[in-house]
Short mmCIF file of all heavy atoms in Angstrom, two decimals:
data_model
loop_
_atom_site.label_atom_id
_atom_site.label_comp_id
_atom_site.label_asym_id
_atom_site.label_seq_id
_atom_site.Cartn_x
_atom_site.Cartn_y
_atom_site.Cartn_z
N ASN N 367 -10.17 29.66 -75.43
CA ASN N 367 -11.46 29.15 -74.97
C ASN N 367 -11.38 28.89 -73.49
O ASN N 367 -11.42 27.80 -72.98
CB ASN N 367 -11.84 27.88 -75.67
CG ASN N 367 -13.23 27.42 -75.38
OD1 ASN N 367 -14.11 28.24 -75.06
ND2 ASN N 367 -13.44 26.11 -75.55
N PRO N 368 -11.20 29.97 -72.69
CA PRO N 368 -10.93 29.73 -71.25
C PRO N 368 -12.15 29.19 -70.52
O PRO N 368 -13.28 29.57 -70.78
CB PRO N 368 -10.62 31.19 -70.74
CG PRO N 368 -11.23 32.14 -71.71
CD PRO N 368 -11.23 31.42 -73.04
N PHE N 369 -11.83 28.35 -69.66
CA PHE N 369 -12.88 27.71 -68.74
C PHE N 369 -12.25 27.75 -67.34
O PHE N 369 -11.20 27.28 -67.22
CB PHE N 369 -13.06 26.24 -69.22
CG PHE N 369 -14.26 25.55 -68.54
CD1 PHE N 369 -15.57 26.08 -68.74
CD2 PHE N 369 -14.11 24.40 -67.77
CE1 PHE N 369 -16.62 25.42 -68.16
CE2 PHE N 369 -15.18 23.78 -67.22
CZ PHE N 369 -16.46 24.26 -67.39
N PHE N 370 -13.00 28.35 -66.44
CA PHE N 370 -12.37 28.67 -65.14
C PHE N 370 -12.74 27.56 -64.11
O PHE N 370 -13.79 26.86 -64.24
CB PHE N 370 -12.87 30.03 -64.65
CG PHE N 370 -12.50 31.10 -65.66
CD1 PHE N 370 -13.35 31.53 -66.68
CD2 PHE N 370 -11.28 31.72 -65.51
CE1 PHE N 370 -13.02 32.47 -67.53
CE2 PHE N 370 -10.89 32.70 -66.52
CZ PHE N 370 -11.80 33.11 -67.49
N TRP N 371 -11.91 27.41 -63.13
CA TRP N 371 -12.16 26.38 -62.12
C TRP N 371 -13.43 26.53 -61.37
O TRP N 371 -14.11 25.54 -61.06
CB TRP N 371 -10.95 26.34 -61.11
CG TRP N 371 -9.75 25.74 -61.63
CD1 TRP N 371 -8.55 26.44 -61.89
CD2 TRP N 371 -9.52 24.37 -61.96
NE1 TRP N 371 -7.63 25.45 -62.39
CE2 TRP N 371 -8.26 24.24 -62.46
CE3 TRP N 371 -10.38 23.23 -61.93
CZ2 TRP N 371 -7.78 23.03 -62.89
CZ3 TRP N 371 -9.81 22.05 -62.40
CH2 TRP N 371 -8.51 21.91 -62.83
N GLY N 372 -13.94 27.82 -61.16
CA GLY N 372 -15.15 28.00 -60.63
C GLY N 372 -16.36 27.44 -61.45
O GLY N 372 -17.28 26.89 -60.93
N GLU N 373 -16.18 27.60 -62.78
CA GLU N 373 -17.15 27.03 -63.73
C GLU N 373 -17.05 25.52 -63.66
O GLU N 373 -18.03 24.84 -63.75
CB GLU N 373 -16.88 27.52 -65.12
CG GLU N 373 -17.10 29.04 -65.34
CD GLU N 373 -16.63 29.45 -66.78
OE1 GLU N 373 -15.46 29.48 -67.02
OE2 GLU N 373 -17.64 29.77 -67.58
N MET N 374 -15.76 25.06 -63.60
CA MET N 374 -15.60 23.59 -63.60
C MET N 374 -16.30 22.99 -62.34
O MET N 374 -16.93 21.93 -62.49
CB MET N 374 -14.06 23.24 -63.52
CG MET N 374 -13.77 21.84 -63.47
SD MET N 374 -14.08 20.98 -65.11
CE MET N 374 -12.66 21.55 -66.02
N GLU N 375 -16.17 23.67 -61.21
CA GLU N 375 -16.87 23.16 -59.97
C GLU N 375 -18.40 22.96 -60.20
O GLU N 375 -18.98 21.92 -59.92
CB GLU N 375 -16.56 24.13 -58.85
CG GLU N 375 -17.41 23.80 -57.56
CD GLU N 375 -17.39 24.90 -56.57
OE1 GLU N 375 -17.01 26.13 -56.97
OE2 GLU N 375 -17.72 24.68 -55.42
N GLN N 376 -18.96 24.05 -60.75
CA GLN N 376 -20.44 24.02 -60.99
C GLN N 376 -20.78 22.91 -62.06
O GLN N 376 -21.77 22.19 -61.85
CB GLN N 376 -20.88 25.33 -61.48
CG GLN N 376 -20.75 26.46 -60.43
CD GLN N 376 -20.94 27.82 -61.06
OE1 GLN N 376 -21.21 27.97 -62.18
NE2 GLN N 376 -20.81 28.86 -60.15
N TYR N 377 -19.99 22.80 -63.07
CA TYR N 377 -20.30 21.84 -64.09
C TYR N 377 -20.16 20.41 -63.60
O TYR N 377 -21.04 19.53 -63.83
CB TYR N 377 -19.36 22.07 -65.33
CG TYR N 377 -19.60 21.18 -66.48
CD1 TYR N 377 -20.71 21.41 -67.38
CD2 TYR N 377 -18.79 20.06 -66.71
CE1 TYR N 377 -20.86 20.59 -68.38
CE2 TYR N 377 -19.02 19.23 -67.74
CZ TYR N 377 -20.02 19.44 -68.60
OH TYR N 377 -20.28 18.63 -69.66
N VAL N 378 -19.09 20.12 -62.88
CA VAL N 378 -18.81 18.78 -62.40
C VAL N 378 -19.94 18.40 -61.35
O VAL N 378 -20.47 17.28 -61.43
CB VAL N 378 -17.38 18.63 -61.77
CG1 VAL N 378 -17.26 17.40 -60.98
CG2 VAL N 378 -16.38 18.77 -62.84
N MET N 379 -20.18 19.31 -60.39
CA MET N 379 -21.19 19.01 -59.39
C MET N 379 -22.60 18.76 -60.02
O MET N 379 -23.28 17.81 -59.64
CB MET N 379 -21.26 20.06 -58.29
CG MET N 379 -20.10 20.03 -57.42
SD MET N 379 -19.89 18.59 -56.45
CE MET N 379 -18.70 17.66 -57.44
N SER N 380 -22.99 19.63 -60.95
CA SER N 380 -24.30 19.44 -61.63
C SER N 380 -24.40 18.18 -62.40
O SER N 380 -25.41 17.45 -62.44
CB SER N 380 -24.69 20.64 -62.43
OG SER N 380 -23.82 20.78 -63.57
N THR N 381 -23.25 17.77 -63.03
CA THR N 381 -23.18 16.53 -63.80
C THR N 381 -23.36 15.35 -62.92
O THR N 381 -24.15 14.43 -63.25
CB THR N 381 -21.85 16.46 -64.61
OG1 THR N 381 -21.80 17.44 -65.51
CG2 THR N 381 -21.76 15.14 -65.31
N PHE N 382 -22.66 15.26 -61.75
CA PHE N 382 -22.80 14.16 -60.88
C PHE N 382 -24.13 14.14 -60.09
O PHE N 382 -24.61 13.06 -59.76
CB PHE N 382 -21.62 14.15 -59.86
CG PHE N 382 -20.30 13.72 -60.46
CD1 PHE N 382 -19.14 14.39 -60.25
CD2 PHE N 382 -20.28 12.57 -61.22
CE1 PHE N 382 -18.01 13.92 -60.77
CE2 PHE N 382 -19.16 12.16 -61.83
CZ PHE N 382 -17.94 12.79 -61.58
N LYS N 383 -24.79 15.24 -59.93
CA LYS N 383 -26.05 15.19 -59.34
C LYS N 383 -27.17 14.71 -60.33
O LYS N 383 -28.05 14.04 -59.96
CB LYS N 383 -26.46 16.59 -58.80
CG LYS N 383 -25.67 16.95 -57.58
CD LYS N 383 -25.90 18.32 -56.95
CE LYS N 383 -25.05 18.55 -55.74
NZ LYS N 383 -25.08 19.82 -55.22
N ARG N 384 -26.96 14.96 -61.64
CA ARG N 384 -27.84 14.50 -62.71
C ARG N 384 -27.60 13.03 -62.95
O ARG N 384 -28.49 12.26 -63.27
CB ARG N 384 -27.72 15.29 -63.93
CG ARG N 384 -28.41 16.62 -63.93
CD ARG N 384 -28.47 17.24 -65.38
NE ARG N 384 -27.36 17.04 -66.20
CZ ARG N 384 -26.25 17.78 -66.16
NH1 ARG N 384 -26.18 18.82 -65.43
NH2 ARG N 384 -25.27 17.58 -67.01
N ASN N 385 -26.32 12.63 -62.93
CA ASN N 385 -25.90 11.29 -63.26
C ASN N 385 -24.97 10.78 -62.20
O ASN N 385 -23.75 10.73 -62.28
CB ASN N 385 -25.05 11.32 -64.61
CG ASN N 385 -25.81 12.00 -65.68
OD1 ASN N 385 -26.86 11.48 -66.11
ND2 ASN N 385 -25.29 13.14 -66.24
N PRO N 386 -25.58 10.38 -61.06
CA PRO N 386 -24.70 9.90 -59.94
C PRO N 386 -23.94 8.63 -60.21
O PRO N 386 -24.28 7.77 -61.10
CB PRO N 386 -25.77 9.60 -58.83
CG PRO N 386 -27.10 9.61 -59.51
CD PRO N 386 -26.98 10.21 -60.79
N LEU N 387 -22.73 8.55 -59.66
CA LEU N 387 -21.92 7.40 -59.77
C LEU N 387 -22.38 6.28 -58.90
O LEU N 387 -23.03 6.48 -57.91
CB LEU N 387 -20.45 7.78 -59.33
CG LEU N 387 -19.76 8.80 -60.17
CD1 LEU N 387 -18.32 9.09 -59.69
CD2 LEU N 387 -19.59 8.34 -61.70
N GLU N 388 -22.08 5.03 -59.31
CA GLU N 388 -22.46 3.92 -58.54
C GLU N 388 -21.66 3.84 -57.25
O GLU N 388 -20.50 4.27 -57.18
CB GLU N 388 -22.27 2.63 -59.35
CG GLU N 388 -23.17 2.52 -60.54
CD GLU N 388 -22.91 1.25 -61.29
OE1 GLU N 388 -22.17 0.35 -60.79
OE2 GLU N 388 -23.51 1.18 -62.41
N GLN N 389 -22.24 3.35 -56.17
CA GLN N 389 -21.63 3.13 -54.91
C GLN N 389 -20.92 4.40 -54.35
O GLN N 389 -19.87 4.41 -53.85
CB GLN N 389 -20.53 1.92 -55.02
CG GLN N 389 -21.18 0.70 -55.44
CD GLN N 389 -20.09 -0.41 -55.59
OE1 GLN N 389 -18.99 -0.13 -55.84
NE2 GLN N 389 -20.62 -1.62 -55.52
N ALA N 390 -21.65 5.54 -54.49
CA ALA N 390 -21.15 6.76 -53.95
C ALA N 390 -21.13 6.67 -52.37
O ALA N 390 -22.01 6.12 -51.81
CB ALA N 390 -21.98 8.01 -54.38
N PHE N 391 -20.15 7.28 -51.79
CA PHE N 391 -20.01 7.35 -50.33
C PHE N 391 -21.07 8.24 -49.70
O PHE N 391 -21.68 7.89 -48.77
CB PHE N 391 -18.63 7.80 -49.98
CG PHE N 391 -18.29 7.98 -48.56
CD1 PHE N 391 -18.32 6.91 -47.65
CD2 PHE N 391 -18.15 9.29 -48.04
CE1 PHE N 391 -18.14 7.11 -46.27
CE2 PHE N 391 -17.86 9.49 -46.70
CZ PHE N 391 -17.86 8.40 -45.84
N ARG N 392 -21.27 9.37 -50.35
CA ARG N 392 -22.37 10.35 -49.99
C ARG N 392 -22.57 11.24 -51.18
O ARG N 392 -21.90 11.27 -52.18
CB ARG N 392 -21.94 11.18 -48.74
CG ARG N 392 -20.60 11.81 -48.79
CD ARG N 392 -20.24 12.41 -47.44
NE ARG N 392 -18.84 12.79 -47.54
CZ ARG N 392 -18.16 13.33 -46.56
NH1 ARG N 392 -18.72 13.59 -45.48
NH2 ARG N 392 -16.94 13.62 -46.80
N THR N 393 -23.60 12.12 -51.04
CA THR N 393 -23.96 12.97 -52.16
C THR N 393 -22.83 13.89 -52.51
O THR N 393 -22.25 14.49 -51.64
CB THR N 393 -25.21 13.84 -51.78
OG1 THR N 393 -26.27 12.97 -51.33
CG2 THR N 393 -25.71 14.72 -52.94
N PRO N 394 -22.58 14.01 -53.77
CA PRO N 394 -21.41 14.95 -54.19
C PRO N 394 -21.70 16.38 -53.84
O PRO N 394 -22.85 16.84 -53.99
CB PRO N 394 -21.48 14.84 -55.74
CG PRO N 394 -22.14 13.58 -56.08
CD PRO N 394 -23.10 13.38 -54.97
N ASN N 395 -20.79 16.99 -53.17
CA ASN N 395 -20.96 18.36 -52.74
C ASN N 395 -19.59 18.98 -52.45
O ASN N 395 -19.24 19.43 -51.40
CB ASN N 395 -21.83 18.42 -51.45
CG ASN N 395 -22.19 19.85 -51.10
OD1 ASN N 395 -22.25 20.70 -51.99
ND2 ASN N 395 -22.58 20.08 -49.88
N THR N 396 -18.81 19.07 -53.54
CA THR N 396 -17.48 19.62 -53.40
C THR N 396 -17.41 21.17 -53.62
O THR N 396 -18.18 21.59 -54.48
CB THR N 396 -16.51 19.01 -54.40
OG1 THR N 396 -16.51 17.58 -54.18
CG2 THR N 396 -15.10 19.47 -54.25
N HIS N 397 -16.68 21.83 -52.86
CA HIS N 397 -16.53 23.30 -52.97
C HIS N 397 -15.08 23.68 -53.16
O HIS N 397 -14.19 23.20 -52.49
CB HIS N 397 -17.11 24.03 -51.76
CG HIS N 397 -18.56 23.78 -51.63
ND1 HIS N 397 -19.56 24.37 -52.45
CD2 HIS N 397 -19.24 22.98 -50.75
CE1 HIS N 397 -20.75 24.02 -52.07
NE2 HIS N 397 -20.60 23.11 -51.05
N LEU N 398 -14.87 24.64 -54.04
CA LEU N 398 -13.44 25.17 -54.22
C LEU N 398 -13.42 26.51 -53.48
O LEU N 398 -14.34 27.31 -53.50
CB LEU N 398 -13.26 25.49 -55.74
CG LEU N 398 -12.70 24.34 -56.56
CD1 LEU N 398 -13.64 23.17 -56.74
CD2 LEU N 398 -12.33 24.85 -57.97
N THR N 399 -12.30 26.72 -52.83
CA THR N 399 -12.09 27.94 -52.19
C THR N 399 -10.54 28.26 -52.28
O THR N 399 -9.75 27.41 -52.29
CB THR N 399 -12.45 27.94 -50.60
OG1 THR N 399 -12.22 29.18 -50.10
CG2 THR N 399 -11.75 26.87 -49.90
N SER N 400 -10.25 29.56 -52.30
CA SER N 400 -8.87 29.97 -52.38
C SER N 400 -8.39 30.38 -50.94
O SER N 400 -7.21 30.67 -50.79
CB SER N 400 -8.60 31.13 -53.30
OG SER N 400 -9.48 32.18 -52.97
N ASN N 401 -9.30 30.32 -49.99
CA ASN N 401 -9.02 30.70 -48.64
C ASN N 401 -8.47 29.46 -47.79
O ASN N 401 -9.23 28.56 -47.68
CB ASN N 401 -10.23 31.36 -47.94
CG ASN N 401 -9.91 31.86 -46.58
OD1 ASN N 401 -9.58 31.13 -45.70
ND2 ASN N 401 -10.08 33.18 -46.44
N TYR N 402 -7.30 29.56 -47.34
CA TYR N 402 -6.65 28.44 -46.62
C TYR N 402 -7.47 28.07 -45.38
O TYR N 402 -7.69 26.85 -45.06
CB TYR N 402 -5.24 28.79 -46.26
CG TYR N 402 -4.56 27.75 -45.41
CD1 TYR N 402 -4.05 26.64 -45.96
CD2 TYR N 402 -4.44 27.85 -44.02
CE1 TYR N 402 -3.46 25.65 -45.22
CE2 TYR N 402 -3.80 26.89 -43.29
CZ TYR N 402 -3.36 25.80 -43.90
OH TYR N 402 -2.74 24.84 -43.05
N LEU N 403 -7.88 29.04 -44.57
CA LEU N 403 -8.58 28.76 -43.34
C LEU N 403 -9.92 28.12 -43.63
O LEU N 403 -10.37 27.19 -42.93
CB LEU N 403 -8.81 30.07 -42.49
CG LEU N 403 -7.47 30.66 -41.92
CD1 LEU N 403 -7.69 31.92 -41.21
CD2 LEU N 403 -6.80 29.61 -41.02
N ILE N 404 -10.68 28.58 -44.59
CA ILE N 404 -11.95 28.04 -44.95
C ILE N 404 -11.78 26.59 -45.39
O ILE N 404 -12.44 25.67 -45.03
CB ILE N 404 -12.69 28.83 -46.08
CG1 ILE N 404 -13.13 30.16 -45.42
CG2 ILE N 404 -13.87 28.08 -46.63
CD1 ILE N 404 -13.73 31.13 -46.42
N ASN N 405 -10.72 26.38 -46.25
CA ASN N 405 -10.42 24.96 -46.68
C ASN N 405 -10.09 24.08 -45.48
O ASN N 405 -10.58 22.93 -45.42
CB ASN N 405 -9.24 25.03 -47.64
CG ASN N 405 -9.05 23.67 -48.35
OD1 ASN N 405 -9.96 23.12 -48.94
ND2 ASN N 405 -7.83 23.13 -48.14
N GLN N 406 -9.34 24.55 -44.60
CA GLN N 406 -8.96 23.72 -43.35
C GLN N 406 -10.21 23.45 -42.52
O GLN N 406 -10.34 22.35 -42.02
CB GLN N 406 -7.90 24.45 -42.51
CG GLN N 406 -6.57 24.49 -43.13
CD GLN N 406 -6.03 23.09 -43.44
OE1 GLN N 406 -6.00 22.26 -42.64
NE2 GLN N 406 -5.70 22.86 -44.70
N TYR N 407 -11.08 24.42 -42.40
CA TYR N 407 -12.35 24.17 -41.69
C TYR N 407 -13.15 23.04 -42.41
O TYR N 407 -13.55 22.09 -41.68
CB TYR N 407 -13.25 25.46 -41.69
CG TYR N 407 -14.67 25.25 -41.24
CD1 TYR N 407 -14.91 25.11 -39.87
CD2 TYR N 407 -15.68 25.08 -42.13
CE1 TYR N 407 -16.25 24.86 -39.46
CE2 TYR N 407 -16.96 24.90 -41.75
CZ TYR N 407 -17.25 24.75 -40.35
OH TYR N 407 -18.50 24.48 -39.93
N TRP N 408 -13.30 23.08 -43.72
CA TRP N 408 -14.15 22.10 -44.38
C TRP N 408 -13.41 20.75 -44.42
O TRP N 408 -14.10 19.66 -44.44
CB TRP N 408 -14.50 22.56 -45.84
CG TRP N 408 -15.56 23.54 -45.84
CD1 TRP N 408 -15.45 24.86 -46.13
CD2 TRP N 408 -16.86 23.32 -45.36
NE1 TRP N 408 -16.66 25.50 -45.94
CE2 TRP N 408 -17.57 24.53 -45.42
CE3 TRP N 408 -17.58 22.24 -44.82
CZ2 TRP N 408 -18.89 24.71 -45.07
CZ3 TRP N 408 -18.92 22.37 -44.47
CH2 TRP N 408 -19.54 23.57 -44.58
N ILE N 409 -12.08 20.75 -44.38
CA ILE N 409 -11.34 19.45 -44.26
C ILE N 409 -11.67 18.87 -42.89
O ILE N 409 -11.92 17.61 -42.83
CB ILE N 409 -9.83 19.67 -44.39
CG1 ILE N 409 -9.39 19.92 -45.90
CG2 ILE N 409 -9.01 18.44 -43.87
CD1 ILE N 409 -7.98 20.31 -46.05
N THR N 410 -11.68 19.64 -41.87
CA THR N 410 -12.01 19.13 -40.55
C THR N 410 -13.43 18.60 -40.47
O THR N 410 -13.71 17.55 -40.01
CB THR N 410 -11.81 20.30 -39.50
OG1 THR N 410 -10.43 20.66 -39.59
CG2 THR N 410 -12.04 19.70 -38.11
N VAL N 411 -14.36 19.48 -40.97
CA VAL N 411 -15.86 19.09 -40.82
C VAL N 411 -16.25 17.96 -41.78
O VAL N 411 -16.97 17.10 -41.43
CB VAL N 411 -16.69 20.33 -41.08
CG1 VAL N 411 -18.15 20.03 -41.25
CG2 VAL N 411 -16.40 21.42 -39.97
N SER N 412 -15.68 18.03 -43.02
CA SER N 412 -16.16 17.13 -44.06
C SER N 412 -15.30 15.87 -44.35
O SER N 412 -15.82 14.90 -44.89
CB SER N 412 -16.36 17.90 -45.41
OG SER N 412 -17.30 18.88 -45.28
#
C-alpha cells in the first residue's frame, strides 16, 4: 500500500489548512524538494 512523500506533503498541508493548529506561527506552507539548491534557497527565504 505505497504512499509517497509527495502525496504526504499534499495530505498534511490540506489537513492543516482545514484544521489549523492552535497558536500557529504562520499559515502552514511546507514544500518538499529533492533539489539541494532549491531547498537552501527556501531555508534562507523562509
Side-chain angles (χ1 to χ4, degrees):
N367 188 24
F369 190 63
F370 302 92
W371 284 112
E373 294 174 291
M374 181 72 76
E375 171 193 17
Q376 295 168 0
Y377 183 77
V378 169
M379 287 299 98
S380 67
T381 299
F382 284 133
K383 286 178 182 173
R384 281 191 324 272
N385 307 295
L387 296 176
E388 294 179 10
Q389 300 175 339
F391 176 66
R392 53 188 167 179
T393 304
N395 193 22
T396 302
H397 296 285
L398 272 65
T399 180
S400 58
N401 186 297
Y402 176 79
L403 292 176
I404 291 172
N405 188 58
Q406 289 302 306
Y407 168 79
W408 285 114
I409 286 173
T410 303
V411 170
S412 297

